[in-house]
Amino acid sequence: MYFVEVILPLSLAKTFTYKVSEAEFQYIKKGMRVAVPFGKSKIYTALVIEIHKNKPELYEAKEIHQILDERPIVTEIQIAHWQWIASYYMCAIGDVYRGAMPSALLLESETLISQKTDSFVDTGLLSDDEFLVYEALQQQNSLKVQDIIAILNKKNIFPVIQKLVDKNILVLQEEIQENYKPKLVRYVRLHPKYESNQGLSELLETLKNANKQKEIVMRYFQLCASEKTQGAAKRITVKRLIEEANSTAAIIKALIEKEIFEDYFLQEDRVNFNGKIKEDELRLSETQQTAFAEIKESFTHKEVCLLHGVTSSGKTEIYIKLIEEFLATGKQILYLLPEIALTTQLVGRLRAYFGNKVAVFHSKYNNNERIEVWNQVLQKSQKAQVVIGARSALFLPFHDLGFIIVDEEHEQTFKQVDPAPRYHARDAAIVLAHSHKAKVLLGSATPSIETYFNAKSDKFGLVEISKRFGNVMMPNIELVDLKDKYFRKKMTGHFSDVLIEEITNALSLGEQVILFQNRRGYSPIIECITCGHVPHCQQCDVSLTYHKNKNQLRCHYCGYNMAKPTHCHACSSIDLTTKGFGTEQIEQELISIFPNSKIGRMDQDTTRGKFGFEKIIDSFKNRELEILVGTQMLAKGLDFDNVSLVGIMNADNMLFHPDFRAFERSFQMMTQVAGRAGRSEKQGKVIVQTYNPGHNTIQQVTNNDYLGMYKEQLYDRKIYKYPPYFRIVKLTLKQRDFDKLKEGSIWLYQVMSQNLNMPVLGPEEPAISRIRNEYIRTIIVKIPQNVSIGNTKKTIQKMLNSFEAVAQYRSIRVTLNVDFY
């Protein structure tokens, strides 16, 4: 008896055993995918992680359906890394597998519905819906679930299908479909019989009266000639020929039918970069050279090094130099970034040095493009020696990883919030590097407190750069007291007179301006002046945000929206006013204050498309826009050389978040936004509008005092038992029934506080205590540094198992978030 152990792409913590034949046993390797039956009639793509001869005792092993791969598409190091993520972040291995693989490699079965061949049907006994399905099956021999939904024009079609199955008319079968299709490009060439000189004169004779066809043929010869002169093979695509000859596909089709042209297909990569490599070598400044040498020295005795360099100190150039060194050893390199917007800018810079060796991997790529990058990395292709990506690039099948760069390592977007696995890409990258015996460089102008603490306590290497590249001055930060400005009536909308004057100066000098407001939409609240009613989301406990462009109120948690009301829903008064402001309102105010300026906005609403980021960043870099308003997307390592002024519209709404990281995050965000100013010769200026100019954190930003912020926060963290002195595990309980949730969360809290000898806080209602009609409660466990985190997690898991065993609490969903930062 031969068996394989597999992971299924479902939220299941266990692996499953399936039976294989001896021939399959010899053929299958770890890391191959197999289609397996699971449940009554479903088929899933499972991943083989072990091959053995141990029969399962608790259930009868089913046979696998088919083997989907000829060779492993997942490496053994990857499987081990996924298992570490599952155990450390306390989630199911199936969740990690589903999150890590491009979804087109996870084939799901599609139910095909067809008519029984030998059945007699009395159509008089069928209902209208049943008859429509039956009639459709007379036209084609099988239908998919989606087709029936379209035919009946309703979502719940399963009762109809069930009745037809019961009447012995339909049969269901599961079909597995491979979603990935290689991209084929259609080319044309001249038919061989016209290759000789005699053939050419015959050809011209044939086309004597067909002018449009003759035009295309002549254009084809011109293109072939120009390709030859450039030393390229003469391959002409149909698309290019149609564009160049200003013609149509119908004429080419006619030429193919006449056997003048032949068409053929070639497989091509969807993502092609033809970067030209710069001939001149990259020269580092003296400061950069020193930092470069110190990093290399640090790597001789430590695996991880932190590069703490002020904004615009030229960290990217140092990364490029290090990548060059690691490339020379033939290793693969991973460059992680927190935001897709950043990959846009960086890819261009890296391509200039490494040409076609750079691949990109992130969620804005479609399935087929992601699979191509996956295969290139798996085959150690030349095209994917340097991989740039957001956190998901961590899951690629590297064989020989030598170096990982985690740029802007402090960013909270490196931590996945939903769905599971809720991993932190920085920490997971360090573990992955350890498996490959690779080195890790963490880079940031404002490192997270944990990382800086690790560097100071000699766990990581530490290299610091305190000067900007080319000795450019740090920006001059000026605080504007909003209380005073409102009192003196020196405000125009949300702009103080100081900010308006500075924007006017910058524009008159042809310089660009960035304005930062960390809230999208027009205004977060619409209020009735008469009775004070505020429209709330029906499914979540939040007010609806007003979006003026679409003239609607939207919930930013569940997507619920409604048209903007003309009168109050409570008292029918028409006196409605907006409270608070977002990027949309700032953009509107700018248009009225600076009517002749070109203004752009960069937030989640304007960057939805695949190339949303590229369009805005490119138009700002090419100086088509003069003022750019945006949310935190602007705060991350973007490099614009003509920005002389940055305005922070309101520094306070970041400071007073109910979060132990609020001050640290505010410092990082403001310092990073300020760092976008004055990145070339001229000193930049930053205007910070605030109601609390004396606040410690705002003063630390003004004086660029990272150490002051670090020491103050560390002192607080020690007293209040937060990281880096304590590890935090957060449990979130969700249920639609308020009383059941309350009762269940108190039960779990009591069990945990009695059995864990450490601080357990809760059960707390979070600031937003209902989302999508589910009520929420949270419990926080603080694990001290000297206590084994592994054993504590096992204890927590046991308690959760016993919680699930209580019948009335089984419907409460519990999610775990380890290292909840």
Side-chain angles (χ1 to χ4, degrees):
M1 298 279 269
Y2 301 98
F3 300 96
V4 289
E5 203 65 32
V6 301
I7 310 171
L8 286 164
L10 301 167
S11 193
L12 299 166
K14 296 204 297 275
T15 57
F16 292 84
T17 311
Y18 282 85
K19 222 186 312 190
V20 288
S21 67
E22 189 177 350
E24 288 170 332
F25 184 80
Q26 301 301 333
Y27 182 78
I28 290 178
K29 293 185 178 65
K30 280 187 196 179
M32 280 187 179
R33 293 171 308 149
V34 288
V36 297
F38 188 74
K40 280 185 180 167
S41 61
K42 279 277 184 223
I43 296 169
Y44 288 101
T45 305
L47 183 74
V48 176
I49 59 162
E50 216 179 306
I51 306 154
H52 59 76
K53 296 181 182 176
N54 313 327
K55 190 177 180 190
E57 290 173 11
L58 299 174
Y59 55 91
E60 185 63 39
K62 293 181 181 177
E63 289 190 5
I64 65 165
H65 217 279
Q66 65 190 94
I67 301 170
L68 296 171
D69 296 311
E70 291 173 15
R71 60 180 73 89
I73 61 161
V74 172
T75 68
E76 292 199 22
I77 289 183
Q78 261 180 305
I79 294 170
H81 188 234
W82 294 357
Q83 284 167 329
W84 175 83
I85 287 177
S87 79
Y88 185 84
Y89 291 104
M90 297 178 79
C91 61
I93 184 74
D95 283 328
V96 185
Y97 169 45
R98 195 178 54 210
M101 295 287 274
S103 54
L105 291 174
L106 294 176
L107 319 175
E108 295 256 334
S109 59
E110 281 224 27
T111 305
L112 278 187
I113 295 149
S114 48
Q115 188 187 343
K116 273 203 166 173
T117 44
D118 52 355
S119 62
F120 168 73
V121 181
D122 182 353
T123 51
L125 298 174
L126 300 180
S127 71
D128 291 352
D129 283 348
E130 288 165 13
F131 182 72
L132 283 172
V133 175
Y134 171 74
E135 198 179 38
L137 282 168
Q138 305 313 304
Q139 312 300 321
Q140 58 190 85
N141 47 13
S142 68
L143 294 170
K144 288 183 181 164
V145 172
Q146 287 302 328
D147 302 334
I148 296 180
I149 289 174
I151 292 165
L152 301 181
N153 197 16
K154 60 174 168 187
K155 288 244 168 84
N156 191 10
I157 56 145
F158 290 108
V160 180
I161 296 173
Q162 194 57 53
K163 278 181 190 148
L164 285 166
V165 170
D166 295 344
K167 289 176 181 170
N168 213 13
I169 295 169
L170 295 190
V171 58
L172 309 183
Q173 65 198 68
E174 294 281 330
E175 178 193 56
I176 266 221
Q177 290 193 323
E178 177 75 82
N179 287 337
Y180 170 64
K181 291 185 178 67
K183 180 182 177 186
L184 295 174
V185 178
R186 189 172 174 222
Y187 289 86
V188 284
R189 59 180 165 225
L190 201 61
H191 197 283
K193 64 183 178 192
Y194 296 116
E195 288 287 342
S196 63
N197 286 344
Q198 189 187 347
L200 286 178
S201 53
E202 252 178 66
L203 172 62
L204 294 173
E205 185 61 34
T206 317
L207 295 174
K208 194 164 59 182
N209 299 325
N211 281 337
K212 286 192 173 173
Q213 292 180 7
K214 189 174 175 184
E215 210 174 291
I216 278 206
V217 173
M218 298 312 283
R219 192 78 195 120
Y220 170 80
F221 286 129
Q222 283 174 344
L223 286 172
C224 285
S226 73
E227 294 274 319
K228 259 183 190 163
T229 54
Q230 288 168 18
K234 55 171 189 177
R235 282 189 184 153
I236 312 296
T237 65
V238 172
K239 185 181 173 195
R240 185 174 166 202
L241 188 54
I242 289 171
E243 279 170 8
E244 296 271 352
N246 203 7
S247 183
T248 63
I251 297 172
I252 291 201
K253 188 177 174 216
L255 284 165
I256 291 168
E257 281 168 1
K258 277 188 178 178
E259 289 198 337
I260 291 170
F261 276 158
E262 291 180 328
D263 63 345
Y264 61 103
F265 292 87
L266 289 176
Q267 191 175 325
E268 210 169 85
D269 288 343
R270 284 177 168 80
V271 187
N272 255 330
F273 301 124
N274 306 314
K276 289 275 181 285
I277 298 180
K278 280 186 183 171
E279 294 304 317
D280 52 331
E281 207 188 329
L282 176 68
R283 298 220 174 278
L284 297 182
S285 70
E286 206 175 306
T287 321
Q288 286 173 318
Q289 192 61 50
T290 312
F292 175 66
E294 284 175 12
I295 292 167
K296 280 172 63 179
E297 162 59 28
S298 155
F299 280 156
T300 57
H301 49 273
K302 286 197 173 65
E303 287 189 348
V304 184
C305 178
L306 168 64
L307 173 59
H308 175 206
V310 295
T311 52
S312 192
S313 56
K315 293 188 283 292
T316 310
E317 281 78 10
I318 299 174
Y319 300 156
I320 290 171
K321 269 291 189 201
L322 285 161
I323 290 172
E324 271 178 8
E325 299 233 333
F326 280 98
L327 269 183
T329 63
K331 299 271 191 187
Q332 291 171 305
I333 288 135
L334 174 61
Y335 194 139
L336 287 179
L337 289 156
E339 189 81 62
I340 296 169
L342 278 178
T343 58
T344 308
Q345 240 200 356
L346 191 82
V347 168
R349 285 174 77 176
L350 287 189
R351 272 240 179 89
Y353 291 99
F354 305 114
N356 220 352
K357 293 177 182 172
V358 181
V360 183
F361 189 85
H362 56 62
S363 60
K364 281 271 164 95
Y365 273 18
N366 66 31
N367 265 321
N368 289 329
E369 290 167 340
R370 280 193 245 179
I371 289 181
E372 272 166 13
V373 176
W374 183 282
N375 290 335
Q376 286 168 359
V377 173
L378 186 65
Q379 291 150 14
K380 281 197 74 174
S381 152
Q382 286 292 311
K383 290 179 183 172
Q385 283 177 285
V386 182
V387 179
I388 304 178
R391 57 175 185 250
S392 55
L394 196 65
F395 293 121
L396 286 167
F398 294 102
H399 271 291
D400 193 8
L401 193 59
F403 184 41
I404 301 179
I405 297 168
V406 184
D407 198 9
E408 308 297 346
E409 65 80 29
H410 63 277
E411 278 297 340
Q412 65 201 62
T413 39
F414 276 130
K415 172 79 172 156
Q416 173 140 323
V417 182
D418 266 323
R422 295 173 178 82
Y423 65 100
H424 196 300
R426 176 196 62 212
D427 302 344
I430 292 171
V431 174
L432 180 67
H434 184 72
S435 316
H436 281 278
K437 298 187 171 48
K439 302 294 181 193
V440 182
L441 182 63
L442 309 175
S444 176
T446 51
S448 69
I449 283 173
E450 288 77 19
T451 304
Y452 202 71
F453 181 79
N454 282 334
K456 283 291 190 190
S457 50
D458 217 33
K459 193 173 169 187
F460 299 167
L462 175 62
V463 175
E464 306 201 74
I465 308 177
S466 54
K467 282 209 244 74
R468 284 185 143 192
F469 181 72
N471 288 337
V472 173
M473 303 271 284
M474 289 298 285
N476 174 24
I477 300 178
E478 189 179 322
L479 300 181
V480 173
D481 185 348
L482 289 176
K483 287 196 300 286
D484 183 58
K485 293 295 177 191
Y486 274 112
F487 181 70
R488 294 173 191 277
K489 302 210 171 6
K490 288 190 172 176
M491 296 291 290
T492 310
H494 293 95
F495 289 81
S496 61
D497 55 346
V498 180
L499 185 52
I500 291 176
E501 190 186 325
E502 291 294 346
I503 294 175
T504 313
N505 286 346
L507 295 178
S508 65
L509 294 168
E511 293 161 350
Q512 289 166 297
V513 179
I514 285 180
L515 295 175
F516 172 75
Q517 169 59 10
N518 206 11
R519 180 172 269 149
R520 64 191 172 101
Y522 184 84
S523 149
I525 290 173
I526 280 195
E527 187 179 47
C528 167
I529 296 174
T530 313
C531 73
H533 172 75
V534 174
H536 269 64
C537 173
Q538 295 177 346
Q539 309 173 64
C540 313
D541 280 343
V542 289
S543 62
L544 294 171
T545 305
Y546 173 38
H547 286 249
K548 195 169 187 176
N549 280 3
K550 293 186 173 170
N551 197 35
Q552 61 178 203
L553 302 182
R554 292 187 74 87
C555 170
H556 286 179
Y557 286 85
C558 70
Y560 168 80
N561 58 36
M562 61 190 262
K564 186 200 171 197
T566 50
H567 58 272
C568 172
H569 289 165
C571 72
S572 300
S573 158
I574 53 166
D575 290 331
L576 300 178
T577 179
T578 59
K579 291 268 177 84
F581 63 103
T583 46
E584 224 177 79
Q585 192 166 343
I586 298 300
E587 186 186 25
Q588 295 288 318
E589 287 180 8
L590 278 171
I591 291 166
S592 59
I593 302 171
F594 301 103
N596 302 323
S597 299
K598 298 187 199 74
I599 296 156
R601 174 162 59 92
M602 183 163 151
D603 55 30
Q604 214 177 321
D605 300 317
T606 60
T607 55
R608 287 197 188 279
K610 182 172 181 180
F611 299 107
F613 294 113
E614 278 95 328
K615 285 174 189 158
I616 296 170
I617 289 171
D618 287 348
S619 53
F620 193 63
K621 199 158 182 64
N622 300 338
R623 306 187 186 184
E624 291 158 28
L625 297 171
E626 294 166 292
I627 306 175
L628 185 59
V629 184
T631 55
Q632 61 189 18
M633 293 176 180
L634 287 175
K636 328 243 168 107
L638 292 168
D639 184 25
F640 301 118
D641 53 6
N642 190 38
V643 174
S644 65
L645 177 69
V646 166
I648 296 177
M649 298 306 298
N650 185 343
D652 307 320
N653 55 8
M654 293 180 280
L655 283 173
F656 301 113
H657 255 277
D659 178 1
F660 74 94
R661 281 180 184 276
F663 293 161
E664 177 193 357
R665 292 245 165 94
S666 300
F667 177 88
Q668 288 166 341
M669 187 83 75
M670 285 190 263
T671 306
Q672 291 284 352
V673 176
R676 303 307 114 220
R679 293 174 76 93
S680 48
E681 291 76 50
K682 187 183 167 187
Q683 185 181 15
K685 189 155 200 178
V686 181
I687 304 289
V688 180
Q689 298 192 150
T690 170
Y691 287 98
N692 296 284
H695 193 287
N696 253 2
T697 305
I698 289 178
Q699 287 297 325
Q700 286 155 356
V701 171
T702 312
N703 303 322
N704 196 32
D705 181 12
Y706 174 81
L707 265 177
M709 185 277 299
Y710 168 73
K711 284 175 182 160
E712 184 189 342
Q713 291 307 307
L714 213 53
Y715 177 74
D716 282 357
R717 301 274 175 95
K718 195 162 192 172
I719 295 172
Y720 298 115
K721 301 191 165 95
Y722 280 114
Y725 299 106
F726 282 73
R727 288 267 173 78
I728 290 187
V729 176
K730 177 183 175 192
L731 292 89
T732 306
L733 294 87
K734 293 182 181 177
Q735 161 63 289
R736 285 173 172 247
D737 182 330
F738 181 83
D739 296 323
K740 191 182 275 188
L741 175 71
K742 189 176 174 184
E743 199 184 307
S745 58
I746 290 171
W747 185 94
L748 185 58
Y749 165 73
Q750 284 171 345
V751 170
M752 294 184 97
S753 53
Q754 283 159 16
N755 292 298
L756 290 171
N757 188 18
M758 56 189 71
V760 180
L761 312 179
E764 190 59 55
E765 275 193 48
I768 294 155
S769 59
R770 182 176 61 111
I771 293 176
R772 292 192 176 89
N773 277 332
E774 288 188 311
Y775 292 97
I776 304 170
R777 284 276 197 283
T778 56
I779 297 172
I780 283 178
V781 182
K782 293 180 174 179
I783 308 172
Q785 282 233 304
N786 55 0
V787 173
S788 155
I789 189 163
N791 292 340
T792 310
K793 283 182 191 166
K794 278 180 193 155
T795 314
I796 293 174
Q797 195 57 59
K798 277 181 194 160
M799 291 180 220
L800 288 176
N801 295 345
S802 55
F803 179 69
E804 270 175 34
V806 181
Q808 72 254 39
Y809 302 147
R810 199 163 293 149
S811 59
I812 298 176
R813 273 196 313 137
V814 182
T815 53
L816 281 144
N817 200 336
V818 178
D819 288 349
F820 165 65
Y821 303 149

